[in-house]
Amino acid sequence: MMTRLIVENLTCRHGLLTAVRDVSFALRAGEVLCVIGANGAGKTTLMNAIAGTHRPVGGRIALDGVDVTAQPAFARVRSGIAMSPEGRRLFADMTVRENLLIAAENGRAGDWTLARVLQAFPQLRPLTDMPAGRLSGGQRQAAAIGRALLTNPVVLLLDEVSLGLSPAAVEGVYQSLAMIKEARTTTMVVVEQDLTRALGFADQVLCMAEGQTELQGMPGHLSREQITDAYFGIHDKELSDV
Amino acid sequence: MFDGVLQALLQGGLLGGYYAIIAAGLSLMVGVVRFINLAHGDMAVLGAMVTITLTEVGGVPVLWSIMIMLPAMALMGWVMHATLFQRAMRGGFLLPILVTIGLGAALQNGMFGLWGSNTRSLGASIGELSWASWILPGGIILGKLPVLIFVTAVVVIGALHLMLKKTKLGRAIRATASDPEAAEMCGVSSRQAHRAAAAIAVTLAALAGVFLAMRGQVTPYSGPAQLIFAFEAVVIGGIGSLGGTLIGGMVLGVSQSLGGLISPQGSLLAGHLVFVSVLIWRLSRDWARDHGGWRASLAISAIKLRRRLTGGAPAPDRAPSSKGAA
Ligand SMILES: Nc1ncnc2c1ncn2[C@@H]1O[C@H](COP(=O)(O)OP(=O)(O)OP(=O)(O)O)[C@@H](O)[C@H]1O
Ligand SMILES: [Mg+2]
């Protein structure tokens, strides 16, 4: 199967601070990558760079073999990369339906319709005419993921999936995501703070610390210690023989 | 006396329609693009000059002149944003001000060069519409042109409201106004949305310019005064609210015509005074809200004043918040 998303030696800065340094990975269609790492590790910056809202200073991003590094964010959505951003970023004074419509109108054509999103996130059904600013955290997250899906992405980026949600809400979101994963058509990059969740859901994990890749691989091939060490940025002697 | 006041109220309210049209464009730019175009009034005058020229020199019927002029001005707004405003916006808050002041001066001098400094009007070209009126019971005179302008204002603002609410472009414009980056994440080009808003804003200015020239006279230097009226209507009605511009325009118009009853010079002054009063009321209301409501904020002021007068005894800096709910 062809490689869907390639990220190669990506480097991003905020002013003088290098927030992402030399990060690379490749994902096939339908594959799921979970990005883990402590606060400030550079996860959001990486996601923004892939989505096109942050200009990287080095490296390249390719979708289905086409270099999209120079494309602005809206053009990437039309190429098939969509993101549910950190903080959800819904249009607060517009209704949930309008939030979803905007994505549907300006994204790609495809299987995801308003009806199907409301089926995947039933909690949104009674809320469609409510201003998005009045939603609870969990409802907001559902609306933000639904909005990203309505652009019919081939690569779906989800930042902070479970942040601020109750265990039940997290479970609900992951059930919906599991349905999308089953279909094996949408490639996903998910930032998840909950290690157990991340390891359970991902085909690949990428652990970042201070902008660098500390550990990368398939969850089945990594030990829990390796992952926690990488998470806390503990370097040991074997690091050189990767 | 009573008839005079009624007449003034009516005329002022209708005049508000003109202010609302020119203010709607300014409000759209401020609310959506967060860009203040200080050449807005000069663009209104340019729209009037082009229409007058098409009609008088080209012999085109007035309505057709307007139909030709409006799309041309829309295109100019689009191009102006793409080439000039967009770049200026990247240069911090001062650059847009300098650029649009410069643009205004260039427009004024350009129009002076092309058309000279004579006053011009569309009044002669619209025949009896410029003076015809209805006489209402009680001897109240209702000019047909002011009514036409007011009705147009309501229709235009209503249409703009529907466009923003119900169409793809409207939703894209509102989304961009609320969070440009999030709009981009939905596939909306925020630049295109801004350019579309600029095109609409300039079209509205040009339409207002035509009405200005129908009601009276314009010169190449009429723009800045119109800009001030537009600003006043926007501020009175509330920034970023389209319905508000209609109300703001009418309040401004009514203040001016009531002021005109007091003395001929009172007209403009009354408008400015109402504008300043509304501005002060808005600011102090916001200040009060940030300090726990009117009662609490007044209590704070009283405590501070007493402390200054008595020169000392320390008083609590905050009023008890339980009393402060307003
Ligand atoms: N807009 C910004 N301006 C300046 N520095 C920034 C900005 N955004 C992030 N940073 C810095 O870049 C680094 C990486 O931030 P980033 O938001 O990517 O981390 P993160 O892994 O998403 O963290 P978290 O888990 O807290 O969301 C941090 O050191 C942060 O201080
Ligand atoms: Mg983050």
Side-chain angles (χ1 to χ4, degrees):
Chain A
M1 201 185 287
M2 186 175 171
T3 317
R4 176 127 282 170
L5 178 71
I6 299 177
V7 169
E8 227 170 58
N9 303 107
L10 200 68
T11 299
C12 302
R13 292 215 185 99
H14 292 289
L16 290 177
L17 176 100
T18 304
V20 172
R21 196 188 298 266
D22 238 357
V23 170
S24 303
F25 59 83
L27 295 172
R28 292 192 303 268
E31 240 185 331
V32 175
L33 171 73
C34 276
V35 181
I36 56 177
N39 293 131
K43 306 181 294 295
T44 297
T45 309
L46 172 67
M47 299 291 264
N48 286 340
I50 302 171
T53 52
H54 184 101
R55 265 293 135 85
V57 290
R60 69 187 266 279
I61 300 159
L63 181 70
D64 288 329
V66 179
D67 191 322
V68 297
T69 322
Q71 280 183 6
F74 79 91
R76 285 192 213 186
V77 172
R78 292 173 193 179
S79 308
I81 302 180
M83 173 160 77
S84 160
E86 188 174 51
R88 323 312 192 209
R89 305 280 284 271
L90 297 175
F91 307 112
D93 45 2
M94 301 173 77
T95 65
V96 172
R97 183 194 301 279
E98 286 177 323
N99 269 274
L100 298 173
L101 265 181
I102 285 173
E105 286 169 340
N106 295 284
R108 292 151 43 94
D111 294 345
W112 284 101
T113 58
L114 193 60
R116 201 171 147 214
V117 163
L118 293 179
Q119 207 177 343
F121 297 96
Q123 69 267 46
L124 292 179
R125 249 178 255 162
L127 305 172
T128 48
D129 292 320
M130 197 184 272
R134 294 228 301 264
L135 301 186
S136 77
Q139 294 164 345
R140 254 171 236 217
Q141 176 66 317
I145 296 176
R147 191 172 69 173
L149 283 171
L150 269 172
T151 66
N152 283 291
V154 293
V155 173
L156 177 62
L157 309 171
L158 302 168
D159 202 349
E160 301 290 12
V161 172
S162 51
L163 186 76
L165 300 192
S166 73
V170 174
E171 191 53 46
V173 169
Y174 270 98
Q175 269 171 16
S176 307
L177 292 183
M179 271 164 43
I180 299 165
K181 187 182 166 186
E182 294 277 277
R184 286 289 170 194
T185 49
T186 314
T187 301
M188 284 190 263
V189 181
V190 180
V191 170
E192 177 52 84
Q193 298 280 12
D194 180 341
L195 276 187
T196 315
R197 271 280 171 214
L199 297 179
F201 189 62
D203 301 311
Q204 284 190 45
V205 281
L206 171 73
C207 185
M208 292 177 74
E210 291 176 14
Q212 314 221 31
T213 306
E214 283 291 326
L215 190 70
Q216 195 169 0
M218 294 200 272
H221 298 176
L222 303 170
S223 75
R224 188 84 192 186
E225 285 96 325
Q226 268 180 307
I227 293 169
T228 35
D229 284 0
Y231 187 91
F232 292 110
I234 299 169
H235 301 254
D236 51 29
K237 51 264 173 232
E238 299 114 64
L239 200 70
S240 50
D241 64 24
V242 177
Chain B
M1 171 60 202
F2 177 71
D3 279 0
V5 172
L6 200 62
Q7 180 81 53
L9 280 177
L10 213 55
Q11 270 169 3
L14 293 177
L15 176 60
Y18 160 73
Y19 291 144
I21 297 176
I22 192 164
L26 200 65
S27 179
L28 195 68
M29 280 305 270
V30 174
V32 172
V33 192
R34 318 242 173 256
F35 185 84
I36 295 177
N37 177 10
L38 294 175
H40 193 69
D42 302 305
M43 292 184 175
V45 175
L46 180 63
M49 290 295 190
V50 170
T51 309
I52 292 169
T53 306
L54 282 174
T55 307
E56 287 181 357
V57 180
V60 184
V62 181
L63 202 58
W64 279 104
S65 304
I66 298 172
M67 293 302 186
I68 296 167
M69 177 278 293
L70 288 179
M73 291 296 285
L75 183 66
M76 190 188 91
W78 198 93
V79 170
M80 196 104 63
H81 195 83
T83 55
L84 208 58
F85 298 171
Q86 201 169 287
R87 279 162 220 243
M89 276 165 69
R90 269 183 259 140
F93 85 100
L94 194 57
L95 204 55
I97 294 177
L98 295 177
V99 164
T100 56
I101 287 181
L103 178 66
L107 279 174
Q108 287 164 26
N109 285 310
M111 287 189 284
F112 174 70
L114 269 176
W115 288 294
S117 64
N118 289 346
T119 60
R120 288 161 171 272
S121 171
L122 270 173
S125 313
I126 56 173
E128 63 152 29
L129 184 62
S130 62
W131 45 262
S133 58
W134 291 289
I135 313 275
L136 298 187
I140 304 282
I141 301 164
L142 202 60
K144 287 189 180 174
L145 181 60
V147 171
L148 174 74
I149 294 176
F150 187 81
V151 171
T152 309
V154 174
V155 170
V156 163
I157 288 175
L160 196 56
H161 178 80
L162 278 182
M163 190 279 281
L164 287 174
K165 266 241 133 48
K166 302 276 181 217
T167 67
K168 176 182 169 185
L169 175 65
R171 276 188 285 268
I173 287 179
R174 280 192 297 144
T176 306
S178 139
D179 184 341
E181 216 171 68
E184 291 250 330
M185 290 176 206
C186 296
V188 174
S189 162
S190 56
R191 286 186 171 185
Q192 296 286 7
H194 284 173
R195 287 169 193 171
I200 296 170
V202 171
T203 309
L204 288 171
L207 180 64
V210 168
F211 287 143
L212 182 68
M214 285 183 176
R215 277 186 21 218
Q217 284 147 348
V218 290
T219 78
Y221 299 103
S222 303
Q226 308 311 311
L227 174 72
I228 289 179
F229 295 145
F231 256 118
E232 293 184 340
V234 168
V235 170
I236 294 172
I239 291 169
S241 141
L242 274 182
T245 56
L246 193 57
I247 295 174
M250 287 171 73
V251 169
L252 183 64
V254 167
S255 329
Q256 289 181 347
S257 57
L258 288 182
L261 284 184
I262 299 167
S263 85
Q265 296 83 13
S267 164
L268 293 186
L269 185 62
H272 298 326
L273 285 179
V274 168
F275 157 71
V276 171
S277 316
V278 170
L279 195 59
I280 291 174
W281 174 71
R282 279 248 158 77
L283 290 176
S284 51
R285 185 194 56 181
D286 290 354
W287 187 85
R289 192 193 51 212
D290 295 345
H291 290 77
W294 276 113
R295 220 184 316 171
S297 59
L298 286 178
I300 295 174
S301 312
I303 290 168
K304 282 189 177 156
L305 189 66
R306 197 181 321 142
R307 202 188 308 172
R308 193 170 306 160
L309 291 178
T310 57
D317 218 337
R318 244 169 235 270
S321 57
S322 59
K323 284 188 195 166

